Amino acid sequence: MPDIVVAFFALGVAAGLARSDLKVPKAAYDTLSILLMLTIGFKGGLALHGNLHWRLLPELLAVAALGVLIPLLCYPVARKLLRLNSANSASIAAHYGSVSAGTFAVALAYAQSLQLEIAPQTTLYLVLLELPAIIVAIYLYKTLSGQDTGSKAAVWHEALTSRGVVLLTGGVLIGYFYGPEQSAPVSDLFITAFKGLLALFLLEMGLCTAQALTPVPWRRWPVMLFAVLAPLVLAGIGMGAAWLLGLPAGSALILVTLVASASYIAAPAAIGAAIKEADIGLAMLAALAVTFPFNVVVGIPLYARLLAVG
């Protein structure tokens, strides 16, 4: 049986395809996403408390380098093989170079269910992969399309102040500086309720997936095929990185899953603001309607088996 949280995702997909009137109000979804990202950051900060050392710097820089490498690999694939224009190629590169906090949460829950060792710094992988990918993709578009690249400060501001980055980074800092003892009055809300929050979040993601696939946009089959194959190729890169870095089993699984994931929260907001010509709906079709369910249902258990931990 898959992890119980996956069942909530399946329920959402089934309800959406059956055209049920089930809906998660936007305000509730916004609250869930805020709580989920804040919880992930907070849990990571608690784990980092007393465990952050300079010797982690090479590992963290290597993870950030992946955030630079992946969009550089994805852009020419989208441009040459998928035959997308420059704006949409940069958008796909940003979405697949960036990462999914929802997928991270599922991978974290899966690793914990297997009682795998997870290094304290693992939560930092989220921000370290997300920021460089968005910056690199926007820079690629501005440079290759011949547009002015002088507004780098605006690009950095857009990326650094996005909701996901603020919540994840803020949660890490609060958890790190306060530690388990001083954060006890609020830690139960975040830690005990983590799986419940994730289940409700995945219910909404299931509804969104069904909506994006109704009717199935067959004319976009090259992009949907890319959305299935890309996670497998990117997971291979993640496995190589995890092996070179000598990560513990849980951290390796989470890194591989993150590298194989695609953003559907931070990247759409940043790219929509920076590249007006990009079709965000196309990137969301790939990232949310195809890659996200693939990773949640098939990818994470597959990556665990390939890493010989599941």
Side-chain angles (χ1 to χ4, degrees):
M1 294 286 287
D3 193 291
I4 190 170
V5 294
V6 178
F8 285 84
F9 176 77
L11 174 61
V13 173
L17 293 177
R19 299 183 180 180
S20 167
D21 62 355
L22 173 64
K23 291 182 180 178
V24 175
K26 185 179 184 305
Y29 168 74
D30 286 342
T31 301
L32 282 171
S33 62
I34 288 172
L35 285 173
L36 186 62
M37 286 185 284
L38 193 55
T39 299
I40 291 170
F42 182 67
K43 283 164 65 75
L46 290 179
L48 278 172
H49 183 74
N51 294 301
L52 193 59
H53 306 286
W54 283 108
R55 66 174 181 268
L56 296 177
L57 189 59
E59 175 187 327
L60 299 179
L61 288 175
V63 172
L66 287 174
V68 174
L69 174 65
I70 294 171
L72 292 176
L73 295 175
C74 288
Y75 182 89
V77 172
R79 195 82 171 96
K80 301 298 183 181
L81 296 184
L82 301 183
R83 300 186 181 279
L84 300 179
N85 61 27
S86 181
N88 285 324
S89 296
S91 177
I92 290 290
H95 284 76
Y96 279 82
S98 189
V99 293
S100 162
T103 309
F104 173 91
V106 178
L108 176 62
Y110 191 86
Q112 290 174 335
S113 71
L114 296 177
Q115 298 183 327
L116 302 179
E117 181 185 353
I118 301 172
Q121 68 273 16
T122 303
T123 300
L124 298 180
Y125 297 170
L126 269 172
V127 177
L128 292 172
L129 285 167
E130 188 164 76
L131 283 178
I134 292 173
I135 299 296
V136 167
I138 294 173
Y139 186 80
L140 273 175
Y141 172 69
K142 299 287 187 181
T143 302
L144 297 178
S145 63
Q147 294 190 19
D148 179 25
T149 58
S151 57
K152 294 177 185 177
V155 173
W156 276 103
H157 180 270
E158 183 70 34
L160 289 170
T161 60
S162 66
R163 180 175 66 173
V165 172
V166 169
L167 289 170
L168 288 168
T169 306
V172 167
L173 292 174
I174 291 170
Y176 174 73
F177 285 113
Y178 280 84
E181 291 185 9
Q182 293 187 65
S183 63
V186 300
S187 60
D188 282 350
L189 168 65
F190 294 104
I191 296 173
T192 306
F194 175 69
K195 274 213 167 184
L197 292 171
L198 179 57
L200 293 173
F201 179 81
L202 289 178
L203 175 67
E204 167 63 6
M205 290 298 96
L207 291 168
C208 291
T209 298
Q211 183 179 21
L213 292 174
T214 307
V216 178
W218 294 112
R219 65 187 181 87
R220 293 297 192 181
W221 70 265
V223 173
M224 291 192 290
L225 180 61
F226 168 85
V228 172
L229 296 179
L232 298 174
V233 175
L234 295 175
I237 296 173
M239 287 180 190
W243 178 76
L244 289 172
L245 293 170
L247 300 181
S251 296
L253 176 59
I254 290 171
L255 177 63
V256 169
T257 303
L258 280 176
V259 172
S261 72
S263 174
Y264 50 83
I265 298 176
I271 297 302
I275 307 178
K276 303 295 186 183
E277 299 83 358
D279 181 358
I280 299 300
L282 180 65
M284 289 291 282
L285 169 67
L288 178 59
V290 182
T291 296
F292 178 75
F294 175 83
N295 275 326
V296 167
V297 177
V298 178
I300 295 173
L302 175 62
Y303 309 147
R305 284 197 294 272
L306 293 174
L307 288 166
V309 297

